[in-house]
């Protein structure tokens, strides 16, 4: 079997987290012994570079589909990656598998809304649709009126447990120094893209409430994105610039694991209906850190109050602050959540999901698609 992987997102040295789920997927193809070629695109800055990048992506995927033989054309992020495949499908019958991830189904701006037509078109030609969670399967089936029989769950390459595990004591000590952590206080942190509906504003407002009520802690935010400057402005407006450590960067997977390991609580205040899985929360749990998350979208289904973390009402900083105060008051040790975290993370570990991917691509489930 030979697979062509097509995606508009793939990490590089400058952007190690951009499309890392696609790299994880490709690594897993290696693990299960499936040959593949990929036509992918790294992050581009500037209109001209983006335009050239997409032209190259579409041209190369068109050529690969039309003039080479593949058992499966596997598309990641349907709306922005599928144009070349759609064009080739006018000339040649293709076996298309489409992996949906979030905003390619539930757009969050006008550009993504305009690209919905390509999601709809590629799904109409897809013999298999892959989604990261049961939550998102229901969203896709209802929105596009597709048969649930062709929609399969595979959690975005899963968790690489060689990377995401609790750091040793020396590494934790060094990382705490890097983030200026006071070990006598609990540490709350979030990580990810600083953009609309990610909930960074909910977290910042909650921190102000916690401090105003006389409680204290270490507060850390790691990430970058289109609203990073707005975050910095809000920190200044609320007089929090000296209370919140904001590291404006997208760090590597290895550094993310170290970061998760120094946190007592990972905060995941997403407001995104398109939060199809929330891999950062699962990564944090893999590093032994319980999660305080919005009771919304995918996290609603895998965060279990008092077992692996706590949930709060979405977009409600007062509810988030109450959760944070609750854990400070109770001085809950993250070790108390160890069994719950391990149980939650187990189904997402790469070693435990490779058979799932193999079954989708070459097992009995794939027979109706490939043959």
């Amino acid at each position: 079997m030979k697979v062509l992987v097509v995606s508009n997102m793939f990490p590089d040295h400058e952007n190690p987290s951009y499309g890392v789920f696609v790299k994880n997927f490709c690594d897993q193809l290696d693990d299960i012994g499936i040959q593949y070629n990929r036509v992918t695109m790294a992050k581009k800055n500037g209109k001209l570079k983006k335009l050239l990048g997409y032209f190259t992506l579409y041209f190369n995927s068109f050529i690969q589909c039309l003039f080479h033989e593949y058992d499966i054309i596997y598309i990641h992020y349907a709306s922005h990656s599928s144009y070349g495949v759609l064009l080739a499908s006018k000339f040649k019958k293709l076996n298309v598998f489409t992996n949906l991830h979030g905003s390619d189904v539930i757009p969050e701006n006008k550009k993504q809304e305009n690209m919905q037509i390509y999601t709809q078109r590629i799904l109409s030609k897809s013999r298999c649709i892959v989604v990261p969670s049961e939550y998102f399967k229901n969203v896709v089936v209802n929105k596009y009126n597709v048969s649930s029989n062709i929609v399969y769950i595979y959690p975005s390459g899963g968790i690489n447990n060689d990377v995401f595990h609790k750091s040793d004591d020396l590494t934790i000590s060094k990382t705490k120094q890097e983030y200026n952590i006071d070990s006598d206080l609990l540490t709350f942190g979030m990580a990810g893209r600083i953009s609309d509906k990610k909930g960074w504003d909910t977290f910042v407002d909650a921190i102000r409430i916690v401090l105003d009520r006389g409680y204290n802690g270490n507060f850390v935010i790691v990430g970058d994105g289109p609203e990073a400057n707005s975050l910095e402005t809000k920190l200044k407006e609320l007089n929090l610039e000296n209370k919140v450590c904001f590291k404006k960067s997208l760090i590597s997977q290895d550094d993310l694991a170290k970061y998760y390991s120094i946190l007592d609580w990972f905060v995941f205040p997403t407001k995104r209906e398109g939060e199809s899985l929330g891999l950062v929360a699962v990564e944090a749990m893999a590093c032994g850190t319980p999660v305080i998350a919005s009771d919304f979208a995918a996290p609603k289904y895998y965060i279990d109050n008092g077992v692996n973390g706590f949930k709060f009402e979405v977009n409600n900083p007062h509810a988030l602050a109450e959760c944070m105060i609750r854990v400070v008051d109770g001085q809950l040790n993250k070790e108390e959540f160890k069994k719950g975290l391990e149980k939650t993370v187990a189904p997402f570990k790469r070693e435990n999901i490779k058979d799932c991917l193999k079954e989708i691509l070459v097992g009995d489930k794939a027979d109706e698609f490939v043959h």
Side-chain angles (χ1 to χ4, degrees):
M1 166 173 280
K2 194 168 185 180
V3 176
L4 178 67
V5 180
V6 180
S7 178
N8 70 319
M9 302 176 73
F10 203 83
D12 61 8
H13 179 70
E14 293 182 357
N15 300 279
S17 297
Y18 183 76
V20 71
F21 54 87
V22 183
K23 182 182 183 302
N24 290 342
F25 170 82
C26 292
D27 289 344
Q28 196 141 73
L29 290 180
D30 288 327
D31 290 344
I32 61 179
I34 291 180
Q35 274 191 300
Y36 69 92
N37 286 336
R38 63 178 175 88
V39 178
T40 55
M41 175 178 158
K43 186 176 178 63
K44 305 293 183 184
N45 295 313
K47 289 185 178 180
L48 186 59
K49 288 183 178 179
K50 283 185 179 180
L51 186 64
L52 181 59
Y54 274 105
F55 174 81
T56 303
L57 175 73
Y58 297 150
F59 178 79
N60 287 341
S61 58
F62 173 75
I63 294 297
Q64 285 289 325
C65 288
L66 200 59
F67 296 108
H68 299 267
E69 294 300 322
Y70 293 97
D71 297 286
I72 294 173
I73 310 298
Y74 198 105
I75 298 172
H76 280 278
Y77 203 79
S79 57
H80 287 61
S81 303
S82 60
Y83 184 78
V85 178
L86 283 167
L87 188 59
S89 71
K90 295 179 181 295
F91 304 95
K92 181 180 179 181
K93 186 176 180 179
L94 301 172
N95 236 3
V96 179
F97 283 36
T98 300
N99 199 314
L100 301 169
H101 291 280
S103 54
D104 48 351
V105 171
I106 303 175
E108 297 173 351
N109 56 49
K110 191 64 177 177
K111 284 184 179 179
Q112 292 173 354
E113 183 70 45
N114 291 339
M115 298 296 282
Q116 267 291 291
I117 186 172
Y118 298 111
T119 297
Q120 293 165 357
R121 286 179 180 175
I122 200 64
L123 291 185
S124 71
K125 295 181 179 294
S126 297
R127 297 195 180 185
C128 178
I129 299 169
V130 182
V131 295
S133 64
E134 187 71 35
Y135 159 73
F136 216 56
K137 177 176 180 175
N138 293 332
V139 170
V140 169
V141 168
N142 291 329
K143 178 168 183 175
Y144 298 108
N145 196 29
V146 297
S147 170
S148 62
N149 293 330
I150 67 165
V151 184
Y152 294 96
I153 298 170
Y154 167 74
S156 299
I159 297 294
N160 184 347
N161 37 294
D162 290 334
V163 174
F164 291 104
H165 54 79
K166 188 175 180 179
S167 299
D168 59 72
D169 290 343
L170 180 59
T171 301
I172 288 174
S173 178
K174 289 181 178 179
T175 309
K176 281 186 174 182
Q177 290 178 16
E178 179 184 346
Y179 287 95
N180 197 28
I181 297 298
D182 182 348
S183 295
D184 292 329
L185 300 174
L186 291 185
T187 302
F188 300 86
M190 66 173 290
R193 187 167 169 76
I194 310 300
S195 59
D196 185 38
K197 297 184 179 179
K198 285 290 189 178
W200 60 265
D201 51 339
T202 302
F203 184 38
V204 171
D205 285 334
I207 293 169
R208 184 70 271 169
I209 293 167
V210 168
L211 294 173
D212 287 345
R213 289 184 56 180
Y215 292 87
N216 206 347
N218 301 298
F219 308 103
V220 190
I221 301 174
V222 172
D224 201 356
E227 295 190 354
N229 290 339
S230 298
L231 168 55
E232 291 177 326
T233 299
K234 189 175 182 71
L235 290 175
K236 290 178 182 177
E237 289 174 349
L238 296 180
N239 295 317
L240 291 174
E241 63 265 43
N242 294 323
K243 293 298 298 182
V244 177
C245 175
F246 174 35
K247 187 169 184 176
K248 188 178 177 182
S249 65
L250 294 172
I251 59 180
S252 70
Q253 299 280 283
D254 288 334
D255 287 338
L256 260 179
K258 295 174 187 175
Y259 170 71
Y260 294 139
S261 295
I262 68 169
L263 302 180
D264 292 291
W265 292 89
F266 182 75
V267 180
F268 191 43
T270 184
K271 311 175 202 177
R272 296 178 65 236
E273 187 182 353
E275 200 69 72
S276 59
L277 178 58
L279 204 56
V280 288
V282 184
E283 291 169 351
M285 288 190 283
C287 296
T289 302
V291 176
I292 301 175
S294 303
D295 189 11
F296 187 65
K300 179 184 182 75
Y301 298 91
Y302 62 77
I303 298 299
D304 190 357
N305 282 323
V307 176
N308 57 15
F310 294 101
K311 292 182 282 192
F312 67 94
E313 182 183 12
V314 64
N315 198 26
N316 186 338
H318 291 278
L320 172 54
E322 287 298 330
C323 279
M324 294 165 69
I325 290 170
R326 177 182 178 185
V327 301
V328 171
D329 266 345
Q331 286 295 311
L332 298 173
N333 191 312
K334 62 182 181 181
E335 291 298 318
E336 297 174 20
F337 292 79
K338 187 173 181 179
K339 288 184 179 179
L341 296 174
E342 289 175 350
K343 184 177 179 180
T344 303
V345 169
F348 297 97
K349 287 186 176 180
R350 181 182 294 179
E351 62 189 26
N352 294 336
I353 66 168
K354 63 182 180 181
D355 288 341
C356 170
L357 180 60
K358 189 172 184 178
E359 184 72 9
I360 291 171
L361 295 178
V362 299
D364 292 339
K365 290 179 182 178
D367 286 346
E368 62 185 282
F369 311 130
V370 179
H371 301 300

